[in-house]
């Protein structure tokens, strides 16, 4: 069933059409949720919530924008709403706001120049580092660098200015670089410790 | 010769990453290994993120069942358009032996109690009795699985998701009550029995999820 037909039939409450729309878009919506929350159970819950909202509102879809764009914006909003709730409930203000935000401008310290990320980061390392970002940075980074949204779209979705989106993205990348360097240093330390242990054992 | 220093470079970095490279910043990056390394790292992060964006993950199959139960509950989809094959989507992965037992009981119930050709002239009371005989042990199995799926002593690091699963379970339970009522009223109605069967399947899916969460303490 083509998407346009599925949309029309779903607007009339046809179950097969709902299922078709779900099958067409579930991977992208679930992947977005998973990237933004980093937890499969929560990503499943958010995917269900996003599709529920979609199906509740589908009768209002008039086709002015692409259906997938509409759905993905709706999904992003569902995730952002959850992140906001979580950050309000679980995180203190200090944890959400990076220290440099108070003084304004990015940090001047670039980190140790001796460690190079080149050749040492992969998707998994990056994923772990992204999970440690404050919610605002994480959202902008995932939307822009991973999902491929433009700053004007992010500004619209998140209700902020384009400049703010750019600045958050820059700070997110800088923070990620720090986190990845920290992970590299930890790994190097562990390797040294293991090597020292092996030498000790040989003695 | 570079006209800016490392101290000023961050001011040029944000536009740099957007593709706006000021000649002074370009000259500085050419001469400064430290700032060059910074730019390379940021580009690498950007490229790895793009690569990450190209991969997609598959949500678990039970998600549609639970979504559909909610859609039925809210009256968003027509029940008559749900009709599916008896075993469509059945036999998902079974995480716990207890639930495997419940699934098996459901299959047996469906095969011997709830199923049958409706075009035969069959005594209404016999249908009713058959349905009750099939669903009573099933209900007992579900009750036992439900107790095992939600051990109160285990920690739950994500109560939002657990609460949502419990909420879905409550919705499915209500749906089962409605389906059972329909089956009791019209025991020979194949469609009503189809719905009841699917509702049991959804309940088993949800219990399996709760059981898994309880089991690993997530």
């Amino acid at each position: 069933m083509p998407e346009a037909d599925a949309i029309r039939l779903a607007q009339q409450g046809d179950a097969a059409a709902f299922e078709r729309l779900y099958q067409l878009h579930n991977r992208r919506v679930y992947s977005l949720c998973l990237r933004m929350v980093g937890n499969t159970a929560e990503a499943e819950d958010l995917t269900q919530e996003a599709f529920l909202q979609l199906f509740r509102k589908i009768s209002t879809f008039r086709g002015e924008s692409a259906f997938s764009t509409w759905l993905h914006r709706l999904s992003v909003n569902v995730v952002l709403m959850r992140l906001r709730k979580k950050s309000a409930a679980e995180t203190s203000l200090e944890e959400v706001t990076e220290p440099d935000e108070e003084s304004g401008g990015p940090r001047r310290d670039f980190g140790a120049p001796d460690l190079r990320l080149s050749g040492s980061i992969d998707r998994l390392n990056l994923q772990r580092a992204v999970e440690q970002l404050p919610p605002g940075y994480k959202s902008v980074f995932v939307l822009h660098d991973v999902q491929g949204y433009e700053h004007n779209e992010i500004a619209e979705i998140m209700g902020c200015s384009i400049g703010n989106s750019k600045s958050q993205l820059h700070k997110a990348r800088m923070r990620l670089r720090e986190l990845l360097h920290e992970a590299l240093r930890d790994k190097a330390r562990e390797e040294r410790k293991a090597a020292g242990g092996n030498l000790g054992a040989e003695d | 010769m570079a006209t800016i220093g490392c101290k000023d470079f961050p001011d040029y970095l944000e536009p740099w990453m957007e593709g706006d490279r000021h000649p002074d910043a370009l000259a500085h990056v050419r001469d400064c290994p430290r700032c060059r390394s910074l730019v390379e790292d940021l580009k690498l992060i950007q490229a790895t993120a793009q690569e990450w964006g190209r991969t997609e993950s598959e949500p678990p199959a039970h998600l549609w069942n639970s979504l559909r139960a909610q859609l039925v509950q809210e009256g968003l989809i027509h029940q008559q358009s749900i009709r599916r094959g008896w075993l469509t989507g059945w036999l998902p992965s079974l995480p716990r032996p207890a639930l495997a037992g419940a699934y098996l009981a459901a299959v047996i119930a469906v095969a011997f109690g709830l199923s049958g050709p409706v075009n035969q002239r069959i005594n209404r009371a016999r249908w009713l009795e058959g349905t009750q005989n099939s669903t009573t042990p099933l209900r007992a199995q579900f009750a036992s699985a439900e107790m095992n799926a939600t051990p109160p002593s285990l920690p739950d690091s994500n109560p939002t998701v657990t609460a949502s699963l419990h909420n879905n379970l409550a919705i499915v339970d209500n749906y089962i009550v409605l389906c059972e009522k329909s089956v009791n009223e019209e025991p020979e109605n194949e469609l009503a029995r189809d719905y009841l069967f699917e509702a049991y399947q959804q309940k088993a899916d949800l219990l399996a999820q709760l059981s898994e969460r309880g089991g690993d303490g997530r």
Side-chain angles (χ1 to χ4, degrees):
Chain A
M1 189 192 301
E3 187 183 74
D5 290 349
I7 294 167
R8 186 176 45 78
L9 289 170
Q11 286 175 329
Q12 295 161 19
D14 184 279
F18 277 104
E19 188 164 2
R20 174 73 180 141
L21 290 175
Y22 175 80
Q23 295 303 345
L24 282 173
H25 297 282
N26 65 13
R27 287 169 61 95
R28 195 162 171 217
V29 171
Y30 177 70
S31 301
L32 166 80
C33 297
L34 191 56
R35 283 170 196 142
M36 288 183 76
V37 297
N39 170 314
T40 52
E42 203 163 357
E44 286 170 25
D45 194 45
L46 287 166
T47 304
Q48 180 168 341
E49 181 58 30
F51 275 99
L52 258 180
Q53 287 205 16
L54 168 84
F55 293 147
R56 282 178 192 143
K57 292 178 182 170
I58 198 160
S59 58
T60 66
F61 179 70
R62 293 282 171 265
E64 288 95 355
S65 61
F67 181 75
S68 61
T69 309
W70 188 60
L71 168 61
H72 296 128
R73 284 195 177 186
L74 188 148
S75 309
V76 170
N77 279 324
V78 166
V79 179
L80 289 176
M81 198 73 85
R82 174 71 60 88
L83 288 176
R84 277 183 202 128
K85 269 189 202 163
K86 272 180 78 171
S87 64
E90 295 171 8
T91 328
S92 70
L93 190 63
E94 287 75 11
E95 284 170 299
V96 177
T97 316
E98 286 294 284
D100 60 281
E101 281 186 347
E102 289 169 10
S103 55
R107 287 179 184 178
R108 301 275 150 172
D109 178 14
F110 300 164
D114 53 324
L115 279 168
R116 306 296 288 262
L117 290 183
S118 177
S120 59
I121 72 162
D122 57 17
R123 216 178 66 207
L124 211 64
N125 292 334
L126 182 66
Q127 215 167 318
R128 279 193 213 111
V130 167
E131 279 165 26
Q132 296 174 58
L133 286 178
Y137 288 6
K138 189 197 289 179
S139 303
V140 176
F141 179 80
V142 170
L143 290 177
H144 188 278
D145 278 7
V146 184
Q147 295 291 130
Y149 282 82
E150 298 293 336
H151 283 297
N152 60 332
E153 295 173 296
I154 297 170
E156 199 186 317
I157 293 168
M158 296 191 64
C160 63
S161 67
I162 292 175
N164 192 254
S165 170
K166 285 182 180 175
S167 143
Q168 291 270 313
L169 174 66
H170 181 62
K171 288 174 186 171
R173 287 177 182 151
M174 294 293 279
R175 181 75 188 116
L176 280 173
R177 181 177 184 252
E178 285 176 2
L179 289 166
L180 289 162
H181 273 285
E182 274 169 30
L184 267 184
R185 277 194 289 272
D186 289 347
K187 194 179 163 200
R189 206 174 299 133
E190 275 169 29
E191 280 170 2
R192 273 200 304 273
K193 211 189 269 179
N198 285 344
L199 281 176
E202 280 168 21
D203 294 341
Chain B
M1 188 177 163
T3 54
I4 62 164
C6 294
K7 194 169 167 279
D8 304 312
F9 185 65
D11 296 335
Y12 294 85
L13 192 56
E14 193 186 313
W16 176 292
M17 293 304 292
E18 294 288 317
D20 178 10
R21 285 155 200 187
H22 194 278
D24 290 349
L26 267 169
H28 177 70
V29 166
R30 214 172 24 237
D31 296 342
C32 172
R34 189 181 161 96
C35 291
R36 197 162 51 241
S37 155
L38 168 67
V39 168
E40 281 166 8
D41 282 355
L42 294 184
K43 278 187 188 164
L44 188 63
I45 289 169
Q46 205 175 14
T48 312
Q50 280 168 1
E51 187 203 312
W52 184 18
R54 282 192 286 272
T55 58
E56 284 190 341
S57 312
E58 185 90 46
H62 64 74
L63 204 58
W64 170 246
N65 289 335
S66 125
L67 178 61
R68 194 181 50 188
Q70 180 84 35
L71 292 170
V72 169
Q73 168 83 6
E74 292 188 18
L76 290 170
I77 57 177
H78 300 145
Q79 292 203 359
Q80 62 266 33
S81 62
I82 296 175
R83 297 208 55 182
R84 297 171 71 191
W86 281 83
L87 293 173
T88 306
W90 189 244
L91 301 176
S93 56
L94 299 170
R96 292 286 173 95
L99 282 164
Y103 268 111
L104 191 61
V107 172
I108 291 165
V110 166
F112 296 104
L114 299 176
S115 68
V118 286
N119 54 358
Q120 286 175 10
R121 288 181 152 270
I122 294 175
N123 183 299
R124 184 186 160 88
R126 221 185 103 205
W127 271 112
L128 197 57
E129 190 191 347
T131 304
Q132 280 166 354
N133 286 345
S134 312
T135 54
T136 305
L138 196 56
R139 270 193 232 108
Q141 289 233 28
F142 274 134
S144 154
E146 208 160 347
M147 294 258 297
N148 292 331
T150 52
S153 58
L154 286 170
D156 186 352
S157 65
N158 201 334
T160 312
V161 176
T162 307
S164 168
L165 287 172
H166 278 291
N167 186 36
N168 285 343
L169 194 60
I171 290 167
V172 171
D173 279 340
N174 286 338
Y175 184 49
I176 287 175
V177 170
L178 290 175
C179 292
E180 283 177 344
K181 191 166 170 274
S182 300
V183 170
N184 287 336
E185 283 167 7
E186 292 180 77
E188 66 275 39
N189 185 333
E190 192 187 1
L191 191 58
R193 293 195 313 280
D194 264 1
Y195 292 152
L196 179 57
F197 168 74
E198 292 216 4
Y200 281 139
Q201 181 187 344
Q202 284 163 15
K203 180 159 180 166
D205 281 341
L206 287 167
L207 284 173
Q209 287 175 67
L210 276 167
S211 174
E212 278 301 286
R213 293 177 63 71
D216 63 15
R218 266 189 306 160

